Amino acid sequence: MPLHPQATSLLELMASIGDPPIGSGTPEEARAVRKARQRPPSEDVHHTRDLDADGVAARLYRPNDRDGLGLLVYFHGGGWVIGDLESHDNVCRALANGSGHAVLSIDYRLAPEYPFPAGLEDCIRGLRWAHANAESLGCRSDRLAIGGASAGANLAAVVANLDVVPLVHQLLVYPVTDCTRSRPSYDENAEGYFLTKDAMGWFIDHYLSGGHGSPTDPRVSPLYASDTALASGPPALVITAEFDPLRDEGDEYAARLAATGVPTSHVRFGGMFHGFFSLADFVDDGAAANALAAAALRKAFGR
């Protein structure tokens, strides 16, 4: 289907602002541009609290004061290079409010200052801390989910495959699953849809700049994980976008999860581009995807 009119209007607005393309400058410059475009929260949530999750900065979102909530441990997007607790604050608020359960956002270390596997190690540490301290957060350790968007979904998928702690759900929003950049959607959506083929190369190069791992390492590209590793993961919701370089690898990852016996729901949003999940205030499908993810969390947490 063609690009959705709301998506077209938003992309035209972005282009008119004239920000330099990601990958044309330094990581510091890209972070400064992202920070300059950051919007204040558009919805209230009952309670937020910044905390230390075993040496990793994190932020807890609670939609109510009930005990025994489920807890989504969330990893933000940004190509492992940009993004922080603030950049995905709105998404975490929406998921907490929409699901009726808590969200713990993890501020993992970024490349190239801290290349792979530093960010992954932080995500594992944060998840283990959440499992060990769930009760003190007003949550239950047997109602723990993991999720993220883009590079954050990559980290979530990898951590789920490593079977770090028991999980009831994984939320993967346009995940990076194959860092070889070899899928047809990379060329079909190389330019013009916010995330570009060149930008992904820039992100991946920074992420792997420490000399550890490779594009076919399952800890970098979960599509290369064994069937056994995939089958050990929890039920999944995979959301992809039609006009996204990452579309094909996300679609294929959902298919592989299902083929290994993981209960998997996969929804591709036609007419949407990479990043729409974070733009619920601007595109209706962003709000619909947020609601879909929240409903899946409610189901996974049992209420």
Side-chain angles (χ1 to χ4, degrees):
M1 66 182 297
L3 195 66
H4 192 285
Q6 289 179 333
T8 300
S9 297
L10 189 53
L11 289 170
E12 289 174 348
L13 174 62
M14 291 177 179
S16 71
I17 294 172
D19 287 338
I22 292 176
S24 64
T26 66
E28 293 83 358
E29 290 168 340
R31 292 166 190 157
V33 170
R34 179 66 173 265
K35 186 174 182 179
R37 301 296 169 226
Q38 201 159 284
R39 299 172 289 113
S42 59
E43 64 178 282
D44 294 327
V45 68
H46 178 73
H47 174 74
T48 67
R49 175 161 58 105
D50 289 351
L51 44 79
D52 183 312
D54 191 21
V56 181
R59 180 173 295 164
L60 177 68
Y61 299 80
R62 287 182 55 90
N64 53 58
D65 58 3
R66 296 200 324 259
D67 285 330
L69 296 180
L71 179 63
L72 168 67
V73 178
Y74 190 84
F75 308 137
H76 67 76
W80 311 279
V81 174
I82 59 178
D84 53 27
L85 295 179
E86 304 303 333
S87 65
H88 289 67
D89 183 65
N90 258 336
V91 166
C92 293
R93 288 168 180 265
L95 291 175
N97 286 337
S99 68
H101 292 275
V103 175
L104 183 70
S105 182
I106 301 295
D107 195 17
Y108 56 89
R109 287 172 290 174
L110 300 176
E113 295 88 346
Y114 301 98
F116 173 84
L120 175 61
E121 291 170 348
D122 286 352
C123 292
I124 292 171
R125 186 178 299 112
L127 178 62
R128 284 179 170 150
W129 182 90
H131 181 257
N133 293 274
E135 186 175 349
S136 70
L137 302 177
C139 302
R140 284 176 48 170
S141 61
D142 61 348
R143 287 181 175 168
L144 201 62
I146 198 169
S150 193
N154 165 275
L155 293 165
V158 171
V159 173
N161 293 340
L162 293 174
D163 198 18
V164 174
V165 301
L167 298 168
V168 299
H169 184 68
Q170 55 182 317
L171 167 64
L172 309 178
V173 182
Y174 30 72
V176 183
T177 68
D178 182 4
C179 286
T180 66
R181 298 187 295 145
S182 58
R183 308 287 158 176
S185 55
Y186 260 92
D187 293 320
E188 294 171 13
N189 304 302
E191 295 182 354
Y193 303 111
F194 181 60
L195 179 65
T196 66
K197 180 179 181 179
D198 287 346
M200 278 305 304
W202 184 81
F203 284 134
I204 292 167
D205 287 347
H206 280 309
Y207 188 45
L208 298 180
S209 62
H212 302 287
S214 71
T216 57
D217 185 329
R219 299 172 302 156
V220 174
S221 298
L223 194 56
Y224 291 87
S226 67
D227 287 349
T228 301
L230 293 179
S232 70
L237 169 61
V238 182
I239 294 174
T240 56
E242 181 179 7
F243 293 94
D244 183 356
L246 307 181
R247 180 195 67 212
D248 291 351
E249 63 199 76
D251 290 353
E252 186 172 340
Y253 194 71
R256 275 207 65 203
L257 286 174
T260 60
V262 175
T264 303
S265 297
H266 171 217
V267 181
R268 181 201 282 186
F269 279 79
M272 284 293 113
F273 60 93
H274 189 92
F276 82 100
F277 190 80
S278 297
L279 298 167
D281 292 340
F282 300 94
V283 291
D284 293 341
D285 277 354
N290 284 191
L292 177 68
L297 289 169
R298 285 197 306 272
K299 180 178 179 182
F301 292 143
R303 57 172 176 162

